[in-house]
């Protein structure tokens, strides 16, 4: 006969291990009675899960084992940059909870990890330590939420047992900085690398993301129609009905590409660095950082730096202010799978709503009485 599970104290908590499943019940100061009550509830949940899984006991897989399997799937199905980003946060979580059993994790563990990230600092070069920005913390939480969702989808975790499912993200403002013409000219004036100059000019005059640029191959360039056709892009991985992304070539961008074609030929990647190799995400980011320092382009009032992505945000902000471009067309220009992402760029539509509201108000306002002669 199997031993009956009981709570016991461990590092300030009452815990239990029914059938090898680690359960953290409550702090010791809450008392044994509370621990027994919670254990009874957890045992009931375990029994329900066992019935849902056809009589099988929940998996005894550790967090490290699960995350390794998840990353293997990501490596096989996503691009390299996505894999590296996911790997970063899965590794950070495994350092803290890697030996724990997946089934034993709960929302408290996920919240504790979130708080740890909020207090963590990092160092870049010789700069003083800085805390992670809310967007970075959210990226870590989203990564781990996806990892445990994958575990449930592949029957490695019972449905509804994702510890990160209801952990709220931090308030986070999107990109707001719009590049001025003076800033762009300053960057060009201080850019001594012709290969990077081509990247900068191209991003100034298209809605391309940095990865669209460094992944672009000559096979994606349609000279006759003056466009790029990207069969795979960020939006295609989340859209219900994936379709190629189209990016128009302005005269400035076409001139850049024709010059590069004459110099490097029409095979392989379009944008190569000075060594003739395809750019990487980190190399472009570092080059942009050094260039803005030389050009004296500083952070704006909100502390947002000028990065390569600032060019895309500027382009889409300009497009959103054009009343001849519909929101659906703007979504296609941006390569957005979710229309709500595009909505923040539709400044012209907001202005039209405000103008319409003022016209109604004028109609409701009685005319001023005529003054006496």
């Amino acid at each position: 006969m199997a031993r009956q599970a009981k709570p016991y104290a461990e590092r300030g908590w009452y815990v239990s291990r029914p059938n090898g499943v680690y359960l953290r019940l409550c702090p010791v100061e809450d008392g044994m009675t509370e621990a027994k009550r919670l254990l009874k509830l957890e045992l009931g949940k375990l029994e329900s899960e066992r019935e849902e899984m056809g009589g099988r006991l929940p998996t005894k897989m550790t967090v490290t084992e699960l995350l390794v399997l998840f990353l293997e799937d990501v490596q096989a199905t996503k691009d390299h940059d996505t894999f590296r980003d996911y790997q970063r946060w899965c590794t950070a979580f495994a350092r803290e909870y890697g030996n724990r059993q997946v089934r034993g994790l709960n929302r408290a563990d996920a919240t504790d990890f979130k708080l740890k990230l909020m207090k963590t600092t990092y160092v870049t070069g010789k700069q003083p330590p800085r805390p992670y920005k809310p967007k970075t913390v959210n990226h870590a939480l989203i990564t781990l939420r996806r990892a445990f969702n994958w575990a449930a989808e592949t029957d490695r975790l019972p449905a509804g047992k994702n510890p990160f499912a209801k952990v709220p993200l931090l308030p986070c403002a999107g990109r707001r900085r719009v590049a001025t013409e003076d800033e762009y000219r300053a960057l060009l004036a201080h850019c001594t690398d012709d290969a990077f100059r081509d990247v900068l000019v191209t991003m100034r005059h298209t809605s391309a993301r940095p990865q669209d640029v460094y992944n672009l191959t000559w096979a994606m360039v349609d000279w006759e129609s003056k466009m790029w056709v990207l069969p795979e892009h960020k939006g295609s991985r989340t859209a219900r009905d994936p379709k190629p992304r189209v990016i128009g070539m302005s005269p400035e961008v076409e001139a850049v590409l024709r010059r590069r074609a004459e110099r490097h030929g029409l095979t392989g990647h379009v944008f190569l660095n000075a060594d003739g190799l395809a750019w990487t995400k980190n190399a472009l980011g570092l080059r942009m950082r050094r260039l803005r320092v030389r050009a004296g382009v500083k952070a704006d009032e909100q502390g947002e730096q000028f990065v390569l992505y600032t060019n895309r945000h500027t382009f889409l902000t300009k497009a959103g202010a054009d009343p001849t471009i519909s929101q659906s067309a703007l979504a296609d220009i941006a390569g957005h799978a979710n229309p709500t992402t595009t909505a923040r760029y539709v400044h012209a539509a907001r202005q039209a709503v405000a103008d319409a509201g003022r016209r109604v108000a004028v109609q409701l306002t009685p005319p001023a009485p005529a003054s006496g002669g």
Side-chain angles (χ1 to χ4, degrees):
M1 183 176 178
R3 291 181 57 187
Q4 183 178 5
K6 296 181 180 180
Y8 60 91
E10 180 182 272
R11 297 179 182 179
W13 283 76
Y14 278 119
V15 301
S16 188
R17 296 179 184 271
N19 297 311
V21 177
Y22 180 85
L23 299 175
R24 188 161 71 158
L25 302 171
C26 66
V28 169
E29 54 264 29
D30 289 356
M32 177 61 78
T33 301
E34 176 65 8
K36 289 181 177 179
R37 185 186 72 81
L38 293 173
L39 176 58
K40 185 176 180 179
L41 292 175
E42 292 295 329
L43 290 175
K45 293 178 184 178
L46 284 173
E47 185 59 31
S48 296
E49 290 169 11
R50 180 172 180 170
E51 293 176 359
E52 292 174 4
M53 300 174 70
R56 293 183 290 115
L57 290 172
T59 178
K60 295 183 180 181
M61 182 179 293
T62 66
V63 169
T64 295
E65 291 170 339
L66 174 64
L67 294 179
V68 167
L69 292 174
F70 169 68
L71 288 174
E72 288 178 352
D73 182 83
V74 171
Q75 191 170 30
T77 58
K78 306 293 184 182
D79 61 43
H80 182 67
D81 290 334
T82 300
F83 169 74
R84 290 295 300 273
D85 287 340
Y86 283 13
Q87 184 184 48
R88 174 188 182 186
W89 299 116
C90 288
T91 301
F93 188 69
R95 289 196 190 103
E96 300 290 326
Y97 299 93
N99 293 328
R100 293 272 299 276
Q101 290 182 7
V102 175
R103 175 58 186 79
L105 292 179
N106 54 37
R107 197 189 307 175
D109 298 314
T111 302
D112 289 347
F113 183 70
K114 172 185 172 180
L115 294 175
K116 180 179 177 63
L117 289 179
M118 293 169 64
K119 298 176 182 178
T120 299
T121 58
Y122 69 99
V123 177
T124 301
K126 297 181 180 180
Q127 298 179 5
R130 292 181 292 179
Y132 286 131
K133 294 181 180 179
K135 184 176 180 180
T136 303
V137 175
N138 289 346
H139 191 89
L141 297 177
I142 291 170
T143 295
L144 293 164
R145 185 179 296 170
R146 289 176 178 170
F148 284 94
N149 278 341
W150 174 86
E153 292 165 0
T154 55
D155 292 333
R156 291 174 171 86
L157 187 68
K161 294 299 180 182
N162 186 337
F164 286 90
K166 296 184 179 180
V167 176
L169 301 180
L170 298 177
C172 181
R175 295 186 186 277
R176 298 179 179 178
R177 180 164 187 161
V178 174
T180 66
E181 183 66 20
D182 287 344
E183 289 173 333
Y184 173 62
R185 293 299 170 189
L187 292 172
L188 287 182
H190 288 81
C191 185
T192 57
D193 182 348
D194 289 341
F196 187 72
R197 175 189 290 267
D198 287 347
V199 172
L200 189 61
V201 171
T202 299
M203 292 207 64
R204 173 71 172 179
H205 295 92
T206 67
S207 61
R209 299 180 175 92
Q211 58 262 47
D212 296 331
V213 172
Y214 62 72
N215 287 328
L216 184 70
T217 64
W218 289 110
M220 302 175 191
V221 179
D222 184 339
W223 294 104
E224 183 177 354
S225 300
K226 300 184 183 301
M227 65 174 67
W228 306 348
V229 181
L230 313 181
E232 295 184 4
H233 52 95
K234 182 177 179 181
S236 66
R237 296 193 293 272
T238 56
R240 287 186 177 181
D241 183 21
K243 59 182 179 179
R245 184 178 175 207
V246 174
I247 297 178
M249 279 198 300
S250 67
E252 293 84 358
V253 175
E254 184 177 356
V256 167
L257 264 63
R258 291 198 179 279
R259 185 171 63 250
R260 298 199 64 79
E262 292 177 3
R263 185 177 305 171
H264 301 286
L266 292 170
T267 59
H269 287 84
V270 174
F271 292 95
L272 306 174
N273 60 24
D275 296 325
L277 302 175
W279 288 99
T280 64
K281 175 182 177 181
N282 290 339
L284 284 177
L286 180 60
R287 191 63 57 88
M288 184 69 236
R289 190 183 313 150
R290 290 173 175 171
L291 176 58
R292 71 171 179 248
V293 171
R294 291 200 305 272
V297 178
K298 301 184 181 300
D300 63 11
E301 294 81 359
Q302 288 74 40
E304 185 176 347
Q305 294 285 1
F306 193 121
V307 296
L308 269 180
Y309 213 99
T310 303
N311 293 290
R312 169 176 159 84
H313 181 71
T314 302
F315 187 95
L316 293 178
T317 299
K318 183 70 173 178
D322 187 338
T324 66
I325 299 176
S326 67
Q327 186 165 343
S328 61
L330 182 60
D332 288 336
I333 293 172
H336 289 154
N338 188 344
T340 59
T341 308
T342 310
R344 64 192 177 112
Y345 291 107
V346 189
H347 304 296
R350 295 174 187 169
Q351 188 63 52
V353 171
D355 291 343
R358 281 193 290 270
R359 287 196 298 271
V360 173
V362 169
Q363 294 172 14
L364 293 174
T365 303
S371 58

